[in-house]
Amino acid sequence: MKTYSLPEAIAVLPQVRTLLAQVVEIANTLPDLEDEAHIADYEAARSGASGDLVARRAQNRNALRATQIELVDVLEALAAMGIQVKDARTGLVDFLSYRDGELVELCWKLGEAGIGHWHPIGEGFSGRRPL
């Protein structure tokens, strides 16, 4: 379990920001790719589906699979750093840290200038408190 002091978390924030921007972009793209794949599945399953529809189905499935793998890779990179992704669609993460001897989470959301909040373990975004 990786813990961060505030200066350590601030030091890795540029890397986290870059990775998290990728997560948000991918996470917000996946529903459309899933819809396209389901539509292509339906069209290809109809009786008499042409070779073009079958090829489109395979292309959509491959695009979906590649995007899912890309998301997993980026999430694993963040997890390897000890960063907890709390909301992939909005870009919310926590860094485990200690505050007055208690294990807490430094809370940061994509778009915020810097790390300015923390919360006790388990309280989440609604329990955010200013540093």
Side-chain angles (χ1 to χ4, degrees):
M1 169 180 75
K2 168 75 175 151
T3 59
Y4 287 85
S5 66
L6 182 56
E8 290 170 334
I10 290 168
V12 299
L13 193 56
Q15 183 180 4
V16 171
R17 184 179 281 118
T18 299
L19 291 169
L20 198 57
Q22 293 173 359
V23 167
V24 169
E25 181 181 344
I26 296 166
N28 286 306
T29 299
L30 274 176
D32 290 339
L33 290 174
E34 290 167 345
D35 287 348
E36 290 171 13
H38 289 303
I39 290 167
D41 285 347
Y42 172 77
E43 290 174 347
R46 290 188 333 208
S47 60
S50 71
D52 288 343
L53 288 175
V54 173
R56 186 173 136 227
R57 175 183 180 236
Q59 183 180 34
N60 285 347
R61 282 277 156 207
N62 289 338
L64 176 60
R65 191 171 309 116
T67 303
Q68 290 168 330
I69 290 168
E70 183 181 2
L71 178 60
V72 168
D73 289 346
V74 179
L75 289 172
E76 285 178 349
L78 287 163
M81 295 173 65
I83 308 301
Q84 302 174 5
V85 177
K86 299 297 181 157
D87 188 333
R89 297 189 91 186
T90 63
L92 180 64
V93 295
D94 286 338
F95 301 74
L96 286 177
S97 186
Y98 284 95
R99 184 174 174 89
D100 300 327
E102 177 186 356
L103 188 62
V104 299
E105 294 169 320
L106 299 175
C107 186
W108 180 76
K109 186 175 178 183
L110 192 63
E112 294 178 341
I115 300 170
H117 298 88
W118 70 280
H119 57 78
I121 301 287
E123 285 197 21
F125 190 81
S126 62
R128 282 172 52 136
R129 302 170 188 174
L131 286 172

